Amino acid sequence: MTSHNEPWGENVLVEFDDGIAWVTMNRPEKRNAMNPALNEEMLRVVNALATDDRCGVFVLTGAGESFAAGMDLKEYFRVTDGAPDTVLLSVRRIAEEWQWRRLRDYPKPTIAMVNGWCFGGAFTPMVACDLAIAAQDAVFGLSEINWGILPAGNVTKATIETIGYRNALYYTMTGETFDGRKAAAMGLVNEAVPLERLRDRTRELARTLLGKNQAVLRGAKLAMKRVKYMDWEVSADYLYAKLGEALHLGAAENRGKAMKAFLDDKTFRPGVEHFQDTK
Ligand code: COA
């Protein structure tokens, strides 16, 4: 594994590891609470890695015992209280730009690796990632109700998109915490594993994704996010258009090879193995 000293600052670490970019929120002494400085750096990182060949899969995680303790209550909220609305809007815009606008439509597969505390504002980038794996004992909470704020920053949106109406209301209204196992049971994360297995399992999943045709993967994941808001007729047309786009962008060769392997050569059956094609 190699570390790069790119000019994006001390609040975000980036390590490249054979196609995987491990992107770490790095304010462990503040439990990786997201302040404006971290948000600015993270936006630069997200932008840079979108077109960086060293990043095939983007993994978002946190330094130390925390994924992220939400927005920084002092620097994101209290310091900006009473600031002109232009300042407030600018600070918010930088946060939302990386936390969901860019990440949700990211051109690479993204995985949130939830290693510990995950509160409030941290739900947004965690849910904006395509997939999420948590440590079984990671602690999640929508603590906003305790702070006299409601879960803005699209936290409410992220929550209702993942854990269902009753669960979303329950945890939003009570502020009670839950662990990684419960997060997996509710569909907030894909799975929960013991902390000591977390990095290996995440790497294994990332490697599976790296073995797929990236044009198809990109089309498939973006389509999933779009069709949710379409009716069946529009969705059907859109999906064929996206399929055509993926074939045009390089998936045709992959499709030909996989079909030949299955139909002619009888060397591949998707029910029992993966078809690996990195083109
Ligand atoms: N904003 C600003 N600072 C935060 C923070 C946040 N969201 N979360 C933690 N910190 C700071 C603490 O103020 C403390 O700073 P200090 O060392 O200068 O006193 C430091 O991080 C360590 O926090 P501490 O509470 O001592 O750590 P812990 O390991 O005992 O507990 C948490 C970790 C995450 C359970 C606890 O810090 C917490 O409940 N944080 C608030 C989380 C939250 O409600 N986030 C949603 C915001 S909308």
Side-chain angles (χ1 to χ4, degrees), residues 52-162:
D52 189 323
D53 287 343
R54 292 171 296 181
C55 172
V57 173
F58 183 111
V59 176
L60 179 66
T61 191
E65 293 168 4
S66 185
F67 177 72
M71 305 314 292
D72 190 303
L73 290 158
K74 191 196 284 182
E75 295 182 37
Y76 187 81
F77 288 114
R78 202 164 68 180
V79 168
T80 59
D81 280 351
D85 62 349
T86 46
V87 172
L88 205 53
L89 288 171
S90 161
V91 164
R92 283 183 191 163
R93 178 51 68 106
I94 289 167
E96 70 188 22
E97 205 58 40
W98 83 265
Q99 289 182 340
W100 59 271
R101 201 170 277 117
R102 307 271 165 131
L103 265 190
R104 263 179 63 77
D105 280 0
Y106 211 55
K108 319 275 176 77
T110 53
I111 305 173
M113 183 174 86
V114 186
N115 51 305
W117 307 111
C118 180
F119 282 97
F123 275 51
T124 300
M126 190 258 297
V127 171
C129 287
D130 303 320
L131 304 171
I133 303 186
Q136 286 173 344
D137 296 327
V139 176
F140 296 76
L142 295 169
S143 52
E144 283 87 342
I145 196 75
N146 301 296
W147 300 116
I149 52 180
L150 61 83
N154 263 345
V155 172
T156 295
K157 178 80 173 155
T159 306
I160 191 61
E161 281 214 342
T162 45

Side-chain angles (χ1 to χ4, degrees), residues 33 36 52 81 92 115 151 202 208 214 242 250 255 259 263 276:
D52 189 323
D81 280 351
R92 283 183 191 163
N115 51 305
T202 305
T208 298
Q214 297 303 306
K242 286 303 271 187
R255 187 174 76 156
M259 289 209 177
L263 296 172
Q276 295 282 316

Side-chain angles (χ1 to χ4, degrees), residues 20-276:
I20 305 169
W22 302 91
V23 178
T24 305
M25 293 176 274
N26 188 42
R27 299 183 72 217
E29 71 289 353
K30 298 290 181 190
R31 305 301 179 263
N32 308 320
M34 293 173 281
N35 65 352
L38 182 144
N39 289 330
E40 282 172 26
E41 283 177 35
M42 194 54 95
L43 180 54
R44 288 203 294 275
V45 169
V46 167
N47 281 338
L49 297 190
T51 53
D52 189 323
D53 287 343
R54 292 171 296 181
C55 172
V57 173
F58 183 111
V59 176
L60 179 66
T61 191
E65 293 168 4
S66 185
F67 177 72
M71 305 314 292
D72 190 303
L73 290 158
K74 191 196 284 182
E75 295 182 37
Y76 187 81
F77 288 114
R78 202 164 68 180
V79 168
T80 59
D81 280 351
D85 62 349
T86 46
V87 172
L88 205 53
L89 288 171
S90 161
V91 164
R92 283 183 191 163
R93 178 51 68 106
I94 289 167
E96 70 188 22
E97 205 58 40
W98 83 265
Q99 289 182 340
W100 59 271
R101 201 170 277 117
R102 307 271 165 131
L103 265 190
R104 263 179 63 77
D105 280 0
Y106 211 55
K108 319 275 176 77
T110 53
I111 305 173
M113 183 174 86
V114 186
N115 51 305
W117 307 111
C118 180
F119 282 97
F123 275 51
T124 300
M126 190 258 297
V127 171
C129 287
D130 303 320
L131 304 171
I133 303 186
Q136 286 173 344
D137 296 327
V139 176
F140 296 76
L142 295 169
S143 52
E144 283 87 342
I145 196 75
N146 301 296
W147 300 116
I149 52 180
L150 61 83
N154 263 345
V155 172
T156 295
K157 178 80 173 155
T159 306
I160 191 61
E161 281 214 342
T162 45
I163 67 175
Y165 184 69
R166 289 288 176 216
N167 288 324
L169 281 174
Y170 183 87
Y171 289 107
T172 300
M173 294 170 73
T174 63
E176 276 178 28
T177 59
F178 52 92
D179 68 8
R181 294 176 188 82
K182 178 80 181 171
M186 293 192 295
L188 183 60
V189 299
N190 293 91
E191 58 187 288
V193 298
L195 180 61
E196 57 274 19
R197 285 243 315 120
L198 183 63
R199 201 169 168 102
D200 283 349
R201 175 62 190 124
T202 305
R203 183 183 283 109
E204 185 181 79
L205 177 59
R207 297 226 61 81
T208 298
L209 299 173
L210 284 169
K212 306 296 180 192
N213 180 281
Q214 297 303 306
V216 177
L217 204 56
R218 226 179 331 275
K221 75 170 206 172
L222 290 180
M224 190 69 73
K225 298 172 194 205
R226 298 286 185 271
V227 299
K228 199 162 178 244
Y229 302 101
M230 296 177 188
D231 66 33
W232 280 67
E233 298 294 343
V234 176
S235 166
D237 286 351
Y238 171 85
L239 288 170
Y240 275 124
K242 286 303 271 187
L243 171 60
E245 180 191 63
L247 291 173
H248 178 69
L249 290 173
E253 191 188 342
N254 169 269
R255 187 174 76 156
K257 277 197 282 184
M259 289 209 177
K260 181 173 182 300
F262 180 67
L263 296 172
D264 305 327
D265 305 340
K266 312 283 183 198
T267 53
F268 159 64
R269 284 171 298 154
V272 289
E273 69 219 306
H274 292 292
F275 188 76
Q276 295 282 316

